[in-house]
């Protein structure tokens, strides 16, 4: 299998490495990137090759691993290079799924969203198999063999979930970081220490990634509104809000 990874950053490299490690017949990998130096570095790291973005070569599988805002346009640009299958690794699904259906209608098409940074793999990987087939089935098998938990979803279900698990969660953690004051370790509680750990994890990434998520999904404003409501609440209202939060965190108790 010939594989073209469009976007030679960490996630694109993770995808190529996972297939190389967990397929009996590893693919011949090519990387392309708007930054040719990044493509060359990825190719050197993974014993592949770098190709120009405007190459007219065709590949059995094209994997698009670029930032959310440019995923749909990148699919449009590179879909013609896929002879059998195309997939993406974006954090949003509605637009990539639609773009692949429009620009690669005769190909196998699967949208994957690894819910982790490559350094934290393996983990959960929701997917939309818009048009499954032998090549994408091999990809799914390789990802599963690497220890990832793959499950099928729909673009609407996925994108709605991301409003909470990404946009709202990240906004809440970063807002805490902006409001918090440095304190000696001896004053930490189990809850505060856990929240500081989460803050460290979020701020250990790239600001652009989190900005893209806030732009792609609604939800951050809901966190700000809820915080203002809590801050302004009298005791009775606070208890009502507390109970509301409790019900949401323990839905099986109802």
């Amino acid at each position: 299998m010939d594989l073209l990874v469009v976007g030679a950053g960490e996630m694109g490299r993770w995808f190529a490495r996972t297939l190389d490690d967990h397929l009996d017949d590893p693919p011949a990998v090519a990387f392309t990137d708007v930054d040719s130096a990044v493509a060359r570095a990825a190719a050197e790291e993974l014993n592949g090759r770098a190709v120009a973005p405007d190459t007219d070569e065709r590949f059995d599988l094209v994997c698009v691993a670029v930032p959310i805002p440019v995923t749909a346009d990148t699919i449009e640009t590179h879909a013609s290079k896929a002879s059998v299958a195309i997939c993406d690794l974006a954090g949003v699904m509605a637009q990539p799924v639609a773009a692949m259906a429009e620009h690669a209608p005769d190909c196998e098409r699967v949208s994957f969203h690894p819910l982790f940074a490559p350094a934290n793999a393996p983990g959960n990987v929701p997917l939309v198999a818009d048009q499954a087939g032998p090549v994408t089935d091999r990809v799914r098998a390789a990802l599963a063999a690497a220890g990832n938990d793959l499950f099928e979803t729909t673009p609407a279900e996925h994108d709605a979930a991301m409003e909470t698990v990404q946009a709202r969660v990240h906004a809440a953690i970063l807002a805490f970081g902006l409001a918090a004051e440095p304190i000696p370790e001896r004053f930490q509680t189990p809850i505060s220490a856990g929240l500081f750990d989460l803050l460290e994890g979020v701020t250990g990434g790239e600001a652009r990634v989190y900005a893209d998520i806030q732009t792609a999904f609604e939800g951050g404003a809901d966190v700000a509104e809820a915080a203002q409501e809590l801050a302004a609440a009298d005791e009775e209202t606070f208890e009502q809000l507390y109970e509301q939060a409790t019900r949401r965190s323990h839905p099986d108790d109802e």
Side-chain angles (χ1 to χ4, degrees):
M1 177 171 63
D2 293 320
L3 166 65
L4 174 65
V5 178
V6 183
E10 288 301 316
M11 191 56 74
R13 298 182 194 200
W14 166 83
F15 182 83
R17 185 182 302 109
T18 302
L19 267 58
D20 185 67
D21 289 344
H22 295 282
L23 287 179
D24 292 336
D25 183 17
V29 182
F31 290 93
T32 191
D33 197 282
V34 293
D35 187 335
S36 59
V38 172
R40 290 194 299 271
E44 181 177 353
E45 177 184 336
L46 294 163
N47 296 316
R49 61 191 178 96
V51 298
D54 60 355
T55 180
D56 58 3
E57 290 186 64
R58 302 192 75 200
F59 300 82
D60 298 317
L61 171 64
V62 171
C63 174
V64 175
V66 298
I68 289 174
V70 297
T71 294
D73 288 344
T74 303
I75 289 170
E76 179 179 1
T77 299
H78 295 279
S80 62
K81 298 177 176 65
S83 61
V84 180
I86 186 170
C87 68
D88 79 278
L89 306 178
V92 64
M93 284 190 168
Q95 292 179 349
V97 168
M100 288 188 288
E102 178 180 357
H103 300 292
D106 299 324
C107 287
E108 299 174 31
R109 305 182 304 276
V110 180
S111 182
F112 298 100
H113 180 194
L115 294 174
F116 47 82
N120 297 325
N124 293 336
V125 183
L127 65 96
V128 172
D130 200 36
Q131 182 63 53
V135 170
T136 52
D137 285 349
R138 290 184 66 200
V139 171
R140 292 172 65 169
L143 296 178
N148 297 290
D149 183 11
L150 280 70
F151 62 94
E152 295 202 29
T153 183
T154 66
E157 181 183 46
H158 170 272
D159 290 356
M162 293 306 104
E163 292 184 358
T164 289
V165 302
Q166 290 202 315
R168 292 187 177 100
V169 167
H170 299 163
I173 293 171
L174 289 169
F176 165 74
L178 292 170
E181 296 288 346
I183 59 170
E185 183 68 26
R186 62 182 179 273
F187 286 111
Q188 292 280 16
T189 70
I191 292 175
S192 70
L195 195 47
F196 274 107
D197 287 344
L198 291 173
L199 178 62
E200 183 177 352
V202 169
T203 54
E206 296 181 45
R208 174 193 55 78
V209 173
Y210 292 96
D212 288 348
I213 289 169
Q214 292 300 323
T215 300
F217 301 109
E218 298 179 354
D222 297 335
V223 174
E225 182 179 342
Q228 290 179 336
E229 194 172 2
L230 284 166
D234 58 24
E235 184 174 355
E236 180 180 357
T237 302
F238 187 95
E239 290 180 358
Q240 292 172 351
L241 294 172
Y242 184 92
E243 291 302 323
Q244 182 179 340
T246 301
R247 288 194 297 273
R248 292 193 177 188
S249 63
H250 300 85
D252 294 338
D253 293 344
E254 294 184 10

